[in-house]
Amino acid sequence: MKSKLLKGVLWHKRHRPVVNEFRKKVLNLDLDCDELDTLQYQLRLLSRNKFNAYAVNDKDHFSHDNMGLTKSMYWHMRSKGKTPNNLRLITQPSAYGYVFNPVSFYIGLDQDQRDTTVVAEVHNRIGQRHLYDLHSIVSDGTERARFDKKFYVSPFLSMDCWYEFSIVDEEKFIKLNFDEYDSNGLLFQASLELKAFPLNDRNLAASLFTHPIIPWRTVAAIYLQALKLKLKGLPYLEPQQEERDNDHVARLSLINI
């Protein structure tokens, strides 16, 4: 089995106009998408599109014409001129039927494993999702990309920003970084540091105690940090009506046709 269980730490730091920093434990999966249909027959505690202690559900991810997450992402990457023949998904599984994934990552490799294609699937608190294509990547031991912000996420960060993304992808360790900038410089940083473990029922069972109900804890952490920022005097930025009405999934499909 190529798929893995990932345990690690999510780190956030806001630099301006007030400093706010936190760390929290996270549990993710590094899934070989070719194994998705067979994992549930090898594992009792992880299912696909069914209720379980842990599950991966197509409805929680980008889908084009109801093709399911794997075929949809191959379609998306190929519409951008990329031709991967292997696809991985790094994501937070649902726990007892509930999930909230602030960001998932699809990593595609071509046959020679030389061309890396990364797509970040971002979700916000108003039920939208957006795909960031991180194709302008230069390899120097770390994969890097820079791109404009096009999707409302935090009510305390404006849309007039851009990101720098990097990924260190090793056999037993993955580190993903997002740095957010505005015209005054570095504004916000987030990193995800993950260690890989065998994906088996023993490790999944242990995770029920060491990393319990992670999706609920993710949402609780979001609102706790929002309260802290509000109490520190940061203005609350609601999305513009145009942004709220924008169906990002439909727009992506129209753009990619």
Side-chain angles (χ1 to χ4, degrees):
M1 183 186 299
K2 296 180 181 179
S3 298
K4 304 168 189 174
L5 181 68
L6 302 174
K7 297 181 182 181
V9 176
L10 172 68
W11 171 72
H12 279 198
K13 184 173 182 178
R14 170 125 189 184
H15 294 272
R16 296 183 280 108
V18 299
V19 175
N20 189 67
E21 182 176 4
F22 75 94
R23 288 177 171 85
K24 65 181 290 289
K25 293 197 301 184
V26 292
L27 180 76
N28 286 66
L29 300 174
D30 183 350
L31 299 168
D32 185 311
C33 290
D34 291 336
E35 296 179 343
L36 279 177
D37 289 329
T38 60
L39 281 177
Q40 60 187 338
Y41 302 112
Q42 302 176 58
L43 301 167
R44 295 182 179 181
L45 295 176
L46 176 65
S47 296
R48 183 181 184 190
N49 297 327
K50 292 194 300 185
F51 180 86
N52 204 336
Y54 296 110
V56 179
N57 302 305
D58 287 47
K59 66 181 178 61
D60 298 325
H61 296 278
F62 170 71
S63 181
H64 173 70
D65 286 348
N66 298 315
M67 292 192 301
L69 68 89
T70 302
K71 290 182 179 179
S72 293
M73 188 49 57
Y74 273 124
W75 171 87
H76 176 78
M77 289 182 175
R78 287 165 182 162
S79 74
K80 298 293 184 178
K82 300 296 180 177
T83 56
N85 70 335
N86 176 261
L87 184 65
R88 293 159 53 205
L89 169 62
I90 298 174
T91 191
Q92 186 171 260
S94 73
Y96 299 107
Y98 178 74
V99 70
F100 176 68
N101 274 316
V103 59
S104 298
F105 298 91
Y106 296 87
I107 302 175
L109 285 175
D110 67 4
Q111 189 170 5
D112 296 328
Q113 296 191 349
R114 294 179 180 177
D115 185 15
T116 302
T117 301
V118 182
V119 176
E121 179 185 56
V122 183
H123 293 80
N124 64 19
R125 65 184 180 86
I126 58 175
Q128 296 173 316
R129 69 169 61 101
H130 183 80
L131 301 183
Y132 282 111
D133 298 296
L134 311 179
H135 299 331
S136 56
I137 289 177
V138 177
S139 179
D140 59 354
T142 300
E143 309 286 351
R144 303 178 187 276
R146 176 175 173 169
F147 54 100
D148 292 334
K149 183 175 182 178
K150 297 182 179 297
F151 182 61
Y152 172 85
V153 178
S154 169
F156 298 99
L157 292 167
S158 74
M159 292 292 294
D160 189 20
C161 297
W162 67 89
Y163 297 109
E164 288 188 0
F165 167 79
S166 65
I167 174 173
V168 177
D169 187 10
E170 300 176 355
E171 180 68 23
K172 296 183 178 181
F173 175 77
I174 300 172
K175 184 175 182 180
L176 304 129
N177 292 308
F178 273 102
D179 295 341
E180 186 169 353
Y181 296 82
D182 63 11
S183 58
N184 295 311
L186 182 63
L187 178 61
F188 172 81
Q189 292 178 286
S191 72
L192 193 57
E193 296 190 14
L194 302 165
K195 292 183 179 180
F197 299 87
L199 182 56
N200 55 43
D201 279 321
R202 179 178 179 179
N203 285 337
L204 287 171
S207 298
L208 293 174
F209 298 95
T210 61
H211 295 71
I213 56 174
I214 286 293
W216 281 278
R217 295 173 66 185
T218 297
V219 173
I222 289 171
Y223 282 100
L224 175 61
Q225 298 307 316
L227 177 60
K228 289 181 179 180
L229 292 173
K230 185 67 174 177
L231 292 175
K232 290 179 179 180
L234 263 68
Y236 191 88
L237 305 174
E238 286 285 355
Q240 298 294 321
Q241 191 63 42
E242 179 181 356
E243 177 67 21
R244 184 181 290 275
D245 293 341
N246 189 11
D247 185 340
H248 283 258
V249 176
R251 186 168 63 84
L252 281 164
S253 297
L254 289 171
I255 289 174
N256 292 331
I257 289 174

